[in-house]
């Protein structure tokens, strides 16, 4: 994990699993459905840094 750069963009290769969960407020008036994504990384080769322009930046040609 120390190889990651803050603000960097990465493609991560592996088998992903999505678990659906729900949260409800104590008064029951609000609820949110969400999914947690999980993937086990075994080696550094599963991560590939990509260079894409950030929103508002121009692409280099």
């Amino acid at each position: 994990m120390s190889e990651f750069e803050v603000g960097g963009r990465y493609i991560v290769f592996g088998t992903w699993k999505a678990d659906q969960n729900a949260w409800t407020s104590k008064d029951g008036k609000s609820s949110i459905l969400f999914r947690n994504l999980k993937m086990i990384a075994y080696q550094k080769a599963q991560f590939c840094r990509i260079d894409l322009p950030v929103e508002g930046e121009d692409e280099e040609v």
Side-chain angles (χ1 to χ4, degrees), residues 4-10 49-50:
F4 286 103
E5 294 178 22
V6 174
R9 294 179 181 201
Y10 296 85
R49 187 171 194 282
I50 57 174

Side-chain angles (χ1 to χ4, degrees), residues 25-44:
S25 63
K26 290 181 181 180
D27 62 8
K29 293 181 180 180
S30 300
S31 63
I32 300 172
L33 291 175
F34 61 93
R35 292 178 187 233
N36 289 322
L37 294 175
K38 299 176 186 177
M39 195 271 307
I40 298 173
Y42 295 100
Q43 55 187 319
K44 184 179 173 181

Side-chain angles (χ1 to χ4, degrees), residues 39-57:
M39 195 271 307
I40 298 173
Y42 295 100
Q43 55 187 319
K44 184 179 173 181
Q46 289 177 256
F47 299 88
C48 179
R49 187 171 194 282
I50 57 174
D51 292 315
L52 293 173
V54 180
E55 187 176 329
E57 280 186 348

